Amino acid sequence: MKIMAPARRYLSGADWMMAGLAHAARRLAKSGNHFQIVLDLEGAPDVDAVRRGIRLCVTRNPVLQGRARRAWNGVPYWKPGTVDCAPPDLVIRDVHPGVGPEDTILEWERHLLAPVSAPGGYLSFLLLRAGSTRSSLAVRFDHRLFDALGAETFLAMFARQISCEGGGEGCVEAPPAPSGLRPWGEKFANGRELNRMRLRHRSMGSYQLPVRPPSAPAFHCALIHLDASRTRDLMERSEREAGYLMFTPFLAACALRSFHEVARRGGSPLAGVVLPCSVSMGNPVEVYFNHLSFITLAASAGQIAAPLLARDMARQMYGQKRDGWPDRMESAWKLLRILPATLYGRLLSGPMRSLLGSFSLGYVGDGLAGIETIAGCRVLNAYHVPSVPPIPGVGFFVNRFRDRVNVCVTTFNGALEKKNHIALAAAFRRELTDPAPKPEAG
Amino acid sequence: MTESSIQEQLVRRVADILAVPPESIRVADPLHTLGLDSMRMVEILVFVEKQFKLDLMELNLNREDLFSIEALARTIGKHRSA
């Protein structure tokens, strides 16, 4: 008699890597692997409406109350919880109406490290009110359960939930996903190719900053907001240097130059840079779990100095896609699901740290543009303010909101001291707004 | 292979990438208005290389050559017959 296994949501290779990174973050940074989305609002929202929206969104969704378990076949899956757990509270902080951007950023940095309060704790909400004319709502997401695009979809649902005042959408389920155990041969072949790629990068020489556990772990975040005019200039330049619709390779080139310069000036010159660039694998976008993989770009010190770096990055992206990455990476990662998340985290911050590259880069597009209001307040801007895995401890995160580009440069203070973090953000801003002239891509 | 046939294959591939019905795609619309990002654009270029044996990255094309499905089909037709 064949016993039918229940339809389960088995976790992907990317999900399990995020679980490992969560443990690495807990060890080194005393925090989780979180990111937050901040919505700058005109006016101050109705707090009761926001609390109602939180309660409805969370209590109607048992996925948010669940946790990872391991099936009989050794593959981790998500076990949803019950729907009667207490939802996370809305933390409200009132600040002086004249508060400057530096103080606001401190609030987001602290929110990244704030302990979780609710069972599961995959979400937390912070409302910063600066008088009655402006406010900001920060929603923190746990990367074990959300990727950037899924979080944006969740926020849009949350905004609709508030405006429907208790009606509106119900439960958003995570559809079942197969274990993906077979075919084994293909996974081992992809794992072998991933190891070969890693060895090629290591043969280049040093490409990671040394990271030490600091006495008081902290994340430093720097925000760059470009207005419509600067965004237009930036997109035109991206086309000239990297090619039509090649914004991510263009950003990669800007980030590579900034990072390399700061590493050199900070006394840790590197032989090159390896950059895992996150790419979305989900279409259409699902709310929960990680549907991402990576394209790994690499450049020696000599290549970084070359004028056609952006074009080079576009070609590398093309070459990797033609060779079957990033699907092959997800396939290889599936092999590591056998590891307990705690051990995976130790390996990622130890012998496997070279897999994490020199720094992270993510560009998530303009998925937040459709959120017009939250609890009656117009959304003026929306951007990501994430933490980074403590190794490599540096990340650049870019999104578009309508006609503007937002950037968050996040560093972990075990990788970069505050003054080098400031220098890195300033270097990246210069790359985006006032660079030296470069040759055109065509 | 006619330009029309190239266009049809491109429409099917773009629709597949974007997970939308092929009939919803207008061939004259700029590609950036269809919701394509760098990775999706690279997927299209890889499809062109595999399907039409043309490496567009090597051809030093300008924006107008790639701007829409219509323009892309024209570019592919021109370089295949060259």
Side-chain angles (χ1 to χ4, degrees):
Chain A
M1 182 178 78
K2 190 171 179 185
I3 298 171
M4 298 298 292
R8 282 182 168 148
R9 176 55 185 237
Y10 284 98
L11 298 180
S12 66
D15 287 326
W16 205 239
M17 174 172 264
M18 292 303 165
L21 286 174
H23 278 279
R26 200 159 301 138
R27 281 186 62 233
L28 288 172
K30 309 288 185 280
S31 78
N33 186 14
H34 297 135
F35 63 97
Q36 58 193 334
I37 297 178
V38 177
L39 302 157
D40 288 340
L41 307 175
E42 187 176 54
D46 176 352
V47 165
D48 289 335
V50 175
R51 284 201 165 110
R52 247 190 334 268
I54 294 171
R55 198 169 52 249
L56 287 168
C57 265
V58 173
T59 57
R60 282 182 179 180
N61 289 282
V63 174
L64 289 169
Q65 315 290 344
R67 54 185 299 174
R69 287 275 187 269
R70 207 170 271 280
W72 65 270
N73 55 11
V75 181
Y77 70 96
W78 196 259
K79 185 174 167 60
T82 58
V83 293
D84 53 2
C85 296
D89 193 18
L90 171 68
V91 174
I92 301 173
R93 286 180 53 75
D94 288 299
V95 296
H96 191 276
V99 71
E102 299 79 17
D103 296 308
T104 312
I105 287 173
L106 280 176
E107 296 289 342
W108 311 142
E109 290 171 358
R110 278 199 283 264
H111 191 219
L112 283 172
L113 289 169
V116 295
S117 54
Y122 305 108
L123 288 170
S124 76
F125 296 80
L126 168 65
L127 175 65
L128 206 64
R129 292 188 298 205
S132 60
T133 57
R134 62 187 183 97
S135 59
S136 296
L137 177 67
V139 186
R140 191 183 75 181
F141 299 87
D142 192 315
H143 232 314
R144 288 174 294 177
L145 196 48
F146 294 95
D147 64 15
L149 290 184
E152 292 184 348
T153 307
F154 180 89
L155 261 188
M157 183 177 80
F158 174 67
R160 287 194 300 273
Q161 191 70 64
I162 293 174
S163 62
C164 285
E165 294 184 352
E169 288 151 273
C171 173
V172 176
E173 291 193 353
S179 65
L181 274 176
R182 292 185 180 83
W184 283 109
E186 183 184 286
K187 289 179 180 52
F188 279 113
N190 290 330
R192 191 177 57 230
E193 287 308 311
L194 184 57
N195 273 337
R196 284 177 179 161
M197 185 195 295
R198 188 170 149 231
L199 288 170
R200 277 197 301 277
H201 293 151
R202 284 172 73 175
S203 70
M204 188 168 57
S206 61
Y207 60 81
Q208 284 185 315
L209 294 173
V211 177
R212 300 165 201 85
S215 53
F219 293 106
H220 302 305
C221 301
L223 291 169
I224 303 169
H225 300 299
L226 301 184
D227 62 21
S229 168
R230 290 210 156 172
T231 297
R232 261 195 313 276
D233 291 343
L234 183 69
M235 302 314 285
E236 282 168 12
R237 196 154 58 82
S238 153
E239 243 181 67
R240 286 198 304 274
E241 288 182 28
Y244 180 53
L245 280 178
M246 291 293 161
F247 190 48
T248 299
F250 169 79
L251 287 174
C254 294
L256 281 169
R257 281 191 292 262
S258 312
F259 178 81
H260 197 250
E261 178 192 328
V262 169
R264 186 179 56 83
R265 289 191 184 180
S268 301
L270 301 170
V273 179
V274 171
L275 169 52
C277 220
S278 65
V279 293
S280 170
M281 305 293 282
N283 202 357
V285 176
E286 271 189 54
V287 174
Y288 301 117
F289 302 110
N290 290 276
H291 305 274
L292 56 87
S293 185
F294 294 88
I295 286 280
T296 309
L297 305 173
S300 65
Q303 283 174 291
I304 292 169
L308 291 176
L309 182 63
R311 187 67 176 162
D312 184 7
M313 295 294 104
R315 277 225 64 100
Q316 284 194 31
M317 201 170 193
Y318 177 84
Q320 289 215 358
K321 180 62 191 174
R322 188 182 49 200
D323 294 344
W325 307 97
D327 298 89
R328 298 176 77 180
M329 190 165 283
E330 164 59 29
S331 166
W333 281 344
K334 281 188 162 70
L335 293 170
L336 298 174
R337 292 183 301 176
I338 197 66
L339 295 172
T342 46
L343 177 58
Y344 198 178
R346 283 184 177 271
L347 292 174
L348 283 170
S349 46
M352 285 172 65
R353 56 180 289 161
S354 61
L355 272 178
L356 301 174
S358 310
F359 61 89
S360 321
L361 171 70
Y363 170 58
V364 295
D366 62 355
L368 293 167
I371 304 178
E372 303 271 349
T373 61
I374 287 270
C377 294
R378 198 162 65 94
V379 177
L380 300 174
N381 197 1
Y383 44 94
H384 289 245
V385 184
S387 67
V388 282
I391 294 171
V394 178
F396 299 81
F397 305 96
V398 185
N399 80 300
R400 289 192 72 166
F401 184 74
R402 299 189 191 134
D403 57 358
R404 66 181 75 180
V405 157
N406 298 303
V407 178
C408 181
V409 181
T410 303
T411 62
F412 174 59
N413 66 346
L416 276 184
E417 296 172 4
K418 179 90 179 179
K419 62 174 183 178
N420 289 325
H421 161 81
I422 293 171
L424 181 64
F428 194 58
R429 176 187 279 277
R430 264 196 314 277
E431 282 287 337
L432 296 181
T433 59
D434 187 26
K438 309 276 183 317
E440 298 195 6
Chain B
M1 196 181 290
T2 64
E3 205 172 286
S4 162
S5 151
I6 295 172
Q7 216 173 84
E8 204 178 294
Q9 292 179 68
L10 287 173
V11 165
R12 275 203 301 272
R13 185 65 187 124
V14 171
D16 193 40
I17 288 170
L18 295 174
V20 298
E23 48 275 14
S24 68
I25 293 181
R26 295 202 295 217
V27 297
D29 282 353
L31 292 182
H32 60 269
T33 64
L34 297 180
L36 291 169
D37 58 12
S38 312
M39 198 63 221
R40 303 292 179 259
M41 185 64 183
V42 160
E43 276 190 64
I44 293 171
L45 295 176
V46 169
F47 169 75
V48 168
E49 181 177 346
K50 291 184 173 169
Q51 191 76 356
F52 306 111
K53 313 291 181 248
L54 267 180
D55 184 349
L56 295 181
M57 296 284 281
E58 286 294 323
L59 294 179
N60 288 333
L61 301 172
N62 59 34
R63 185 190 218 239
E64 285 65 38
D65 298 321
L66 305 168
F67 195 59
S68 62
I69 290 178
E70 198 172 60
L72 187 53
R74 202 162 38 238
T75 301
I76 292 168
K78 184 171 91 176
H79 286 279
R80 272 172 60 92
S81 56

